[in-house]
Amino acid sequence: MVIAINPLQPQDSFESAGQGLSDGAWDFQGQDTRCSTHAIHTYVAAMIPGLARKLIDTYVPTGGSVLDPFCGGGAVLVEAIRSGREAVGRDINNLAVLVSKAKTTYIDGDSISRIGARVLAQAKNYNGLPMRFGKLEYVEFWFKDYMLLPLTALKISIDAIDSPDLRTLFRVLFSTTVRNVSLTYRNEVRLRRMSTVEQEKFNPDVFAEFTDQVRLAAQRVPQLPMTARADVEKEDSRHLRFSNEAVDAIICSPPYGDERNGVNYTQFAKNMLYWLGYGRQDLKDSKALSLGWGKAERVVPPSATLFNTLEAMQDNPVAVREAIAFYADYYETLRQLARVVRQRVIIVIGNRVLHRTILNNAQITAELMDSIGVPLEVAHFRRLPSKRLPKMREFGAAIDQEAILVFKK
Ligand SMILES: C[S@@+](CC[C@H](N)C(=O)[O-])C[C@H]1O[C@@H](n2cnc3c(N)ncnc32)[C@H](O)[C@@H]1O
């Protein structure tokens, strides 16, 4: 494989510039991550609300607009809305789009409780058959048999809700119910089936679980500002359809291109999406848009740090190819971000370990943005809670901090 010669020299590393260490100001250790509508759905690798809020308060003009092109569970959007900013979210995962919409759309508490009671009553009267899934979808494996009927009944009565906003909210509450009753460990990033012993003790009541979710939503959603509504769409970050300089700021935590081995957003969402009625092709289509998923030969983007790291990995061409695929897509995204923003692009990112090699994502991002003409204004660093990304520890490298990179146009 040919790697393009990269003429750039690495920028001064953050470490040698006296940065690279957390001063604690951006850690938010022990902070409540379940305030407001954040509690409604736990999306994987979510940004801490306190971090999103501090970034918005510090770097986004009052009343300005914030785009999160990888909005996931909507943490940045919720904080943008709560702070009176305009919130715009994009993601390729259908679950992320639904969750982000539900968490940022005001609905009054009475309507939520009333529709919740109706859905439940209808579901309890359901006398049809349980939904069945295809062999390849492999859904039933994650549930006990007794759960299939109440889940089916809930899904059918939620699909019949007329109001699009209420239907979206209830689809999200249903997806949380699906996740909470499934036979997987909820504090793990990847799906892993409970042991037989644990399964024996795990017999949640599906309707009771759903009722808890409705109660929580009826309390939290009305706390949003009454005019709250974010602009959330399914869109690939490499092909944003905004005009130039359409938003004041961008705040995001990008994927790391480790869909295959690390944080697999498609796998995380799969059971929820199948229950919501999405098909195998829908999941495949979304996955195909994940940064780094494409198979075509790509050119190394202009980062000397990346180039040097890839050179050191030459004995592992599969890993090199995987890294190039991701960073080429990532570079395309960064160019889009630089185009659509008026002021600042803020990227929260940690390092990645690929086949035992550390890829310094903060350094690489800074060099790529520099080449696009949007230089680094300031970098902050924060320690990660120890339980985050536990898998990474297996590779012997402690991914225990992440960088907050602020770029100014
Ligand atoms: C680290 S998560 C973002 C989490 C988010 N900050 C939150 O608080 O929940 C990265 C997200 O990027 C999305 N993603 C991956 N490739 C994408 C692409 N090409 N365009 C848009 N989103 C993408 C994934 O679906 C995932 O939701």
Side-chain angles (χ1 to χ4, degrees):
M1 180 187 335
V2 181
I3 296 178
I5 299 295
N6 189 320
L8 294 182
Q9 286 307 306
Q11 294 187 345
D12 275 355
S13 79
F14 294 110
E15 283 80 3
S16 67
Q19 294 177 309
L21 291 175
S22 163
D23 60 3
W26 295 84
D27 286 358
F28 305 97
Q29 297 272 3
Q31 249 213 7
D32 179 15
T33 54
R34 294 181 54 80
C35 58
S36 181
T37 52
H38 296 290
I40 284 176
H41 193 287
T42 311
Y43 195 81
V44 65
M47 192 183 290
I48 295 207
L51 171 58
R53 185 52 172 265
K54 186 164 170 174
L55 289 172
I56 291 168
D57 287 347
T58 313
Y59 295 111
V60 185
T62 311
S65 52
V66 186
L67 162 67
D68 183 347
F70 306 109
C71 65
V76 172
L77 309 184
V78 169
E79 289 309 308
I81 291 273
R82 293 178 76 207
S83 69
R85 268 78 167 183
E86 217 180 292
V88 186
R90 296 291 183 267
D91 202 293
I92 47 154
N93 187 314
N94 290 306
L95 183 69
V97 173
L98 266 183
V99 171
S100 290
K101 277 188 182 168
K103 284 182 177 177
T104 53
T105 305
Y106 173 87
I107 303 176
D108 68 276
D110 284 350
S111 299
I112 297 171
S113 302
R114 187 169 40 82
I115 297 297
R118 195 177 81 196
V119 165
L120 205 63
Q122 280 173 354
K124 285 183 175 169
N125 281 329
Y126 175 73
N127 54 17
L129 293 172
M131 246 166 95
R132 290 285 167 196
F133 299 86
K135 239 187 174 167
L136 296 173
E137 289 161 2
Y138 218 60
V139 176
E140 283 92 341
F141 176 77
W142 297 101
F143 300 88
K144 288 193 172 178
D145 261 1
Y146 82 85
M147 299 168 176
L148 302 179
L149 198 59
L151 286 174
T152 303
L154 286 172
K155 181 201 163 8
I156 288 173
S157 47
I158 288 168
D159 282 350
I161 298 173
D162 285 334
S163 149
D165 288 349
L166 278 159
R167 198 169 53 243
T168 298
L169 174 64
F170 276 84
R171 278 159 70 76
V172 168
L173 304 181
F174 173 65
S175 76
T176 304
T177 306
V178 166
R179 168 97 179 153
N180 285 357
V181 303
S182 68
L183 303 174
T184 186
Y185 295 96
R186 260 153 297 283
N187 55 355
E188 291 187 16
V189 171
R190 297 181 79 86
L191 293 183
R192 186 165 71 89
R193 200 168 190 241
M194 282 178 189
S195 69
T196 320
V197 175
E198 274 161 292
Q199 279 189 40
E200 268 167 27
K201 291 182 284 182
F202 184 70
N203 298 298
D205 176 332
V206 175
F207 288 141
E209 180 60 45
F210 178 72
T211 306
D212 287 349
Q213 298 307 323
V214 175
R215 207 173 287 135
L216 182 69
Q219 188 209 8
R220 299 300 174 85
V221 175
Q223 292 172 0
L224 292 170
M226 281 179 81
T227 51
R229 179 176 291 274
D231 161 7
V232 186
E233 295 291 339
K234 180 171 174 171
E235 192 165 76
D236 182 343
S237 60
R238 291 164 296 179
H239 306 287
L240 297 175
R241 283 168 295 184
F242 301 103
S243 53
N244 294 350
E245 315 217 324
V247 291
D248 288 310
I250 291 172
I251 300 178
C252 63
S253 48
Y256 292 7
D258 52 358
E259 185 86 6
R260 285 182 180 84
N261 312 307
V263 186
N264 185 326
Y265 300 98
T266 314
Q267 192 202 53
F268 164 76
K270 112 180 170 75
N271 287 329
M272 292 180 263
L273 287 173
Y274 282 143
W275 271 107
L276 286 169
Y278 290 92
R280 241 164 67 78
Q281 195 56 45
D282 297 316
L283 270 70
K284 266 186 150 173
D285 290 347
S286 296
K287 191 175 196 162
L289 298 175
S290 305
L291 297 192
W293 194 254
K295 295 264 183 289
E297 188 102 352
R298 306 292 294 274
V299 174
V300 184
S303 154
T305 298
L306 174 61
F307 183 74
N308 293 341
T309 313
L310 293 175
E311 262 197 339
M313 285 164 65
Q314 280 297 337
D315 60 330
N316 192 338
V318 175
V320 171
R321 182 182 282 268
E322 192 181 326
I324 296 176
F326 170 72
Y327 288 104
D329 282 350
Y330 182 51
Y331 184 53
E332 270 188 58
T333 296
L334 295 179
R335 288 162 60 113
Q336 283 290 309
L337 304 190
R339 178 183 71 76
V340 305
V341 82
R342 267 194 290 281
Q343 297 181 355
R344 288 187 176 85
V345 178
I346 300 171
I347 295 182
V348 179
I349 195 160
N351 290 340
R352 176 179 175 197
V353 182
L354 180 62
H355 298 280
R356 298 181 191 283
T357 306
I358 294 185
L359 286 143
N360 186 338
N361 275 332
Q363 187 75 39
I364 293 169
T365 304
E367 289 170 15
L368 293 178
M369 287 297 280
D370 205 51
S371 82
I372 297 168
V374 184
L376 188 68
E377 180 183 23
V378 62
H380 310 286
F381 291 83
R382 63 181 292 265
R383 271 180 308 234
L384 292 172
S386 53
K387 66 175 202 252
R388 222 189 110 173
L389 303 182
K391 276 266 170 199
M392 296 297 188
R393 294 184 179 280
E394 284 173 20
F395 299 99
I399 304 295
D400 56 0
Q401 75 165 28
E402 64 188 5
I404 300 157
L405 307 171
V406 182
F407 300 94
K408 187 151 185 258
K409 218 169 171 178

